[in-house]
């Protein structure tokens, strides 16, 4: 749940930390004991949900950067016209 909570709260440093902790845990649990399969499936689903939130946020930020870049380009063109 910490993965998904961090993603939903947009706490990217915490999300990165939790993701690293999960990755380390998974490395240590090879092979995964049969008794932990349901918990691992839940963890996998939570991880996928956190990734989806992070990807959505990244796409939104990319869109904002693109808009900012276009505005900046327009302002530069306007400034160049004024300097003529």
């Amino acid at each position: 749940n910490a993965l998904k909570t961090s993603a939903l709260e947009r706490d990217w440093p915490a999300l990165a930390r939790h993701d690293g902790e999960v990755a380390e845990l998974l490395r240590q649990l090879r092979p995964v004991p049969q008794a932990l399969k349901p918990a691992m499936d839940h963890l996998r689903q939570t991880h996928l949900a956190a990734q989806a939130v992070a990807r959505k946020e990244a796409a939104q930020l990319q869109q904002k950067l693109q808009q900012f870049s276009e505005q900046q380009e327009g302002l530069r063109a306007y400034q160049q016209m004024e300097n003529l």
Side-chain angles (χ1 to χ4, degrees), residues 29-75:
L29 283 176
R30 293 285 180 217
V32 176
Q34 191 63 30
L36 293 179
K37 292 280 186 186
M40 295 302 289
D41 289 340
H42 177 72
L43 177 60
R44 187 173 294 109
Q45 292 304 315
T46 301
H47 190 258
L48 290 173
Q51 282 182 325
V53 170
R55 284 190 185 112
K56 181 179 177 184
E57 182 71 14
Q60 289 173 344
L61 289 173
Q62 184 63 36
Q63 184 179 20
K64 287 180 183 179
L65 282 172
Q66 181 64 32
Q67 290 171 347
F68 176 74
S69 178
E70 290 169 3
Q71 288 174 347
Q72 197 173 30
E73 186 178 322
L75 289 172

Side-chain angles (χ1 to χ4, degrees), residues 5-20:
T5 300
S6 297
L8 291 172
E9 292 177 354
R10 292 173 171 76
D11 185 351
W12 308 123
L15 178 61
R17 185 178 64 251
H18 295 308
D19 190 54

Side-chain angles (χ1 to χ4, degrees), residues 71-84:
Q71 288 174 347
Q72 197 173 30
E73 186 178 322
L75 289 172
R76 274 193 294 256
Y78 180 78
Q79 187 177 28
Q80 287 176 349
M81 292 299 292
E82 281 191 339
N83 289 338
L84 290 177

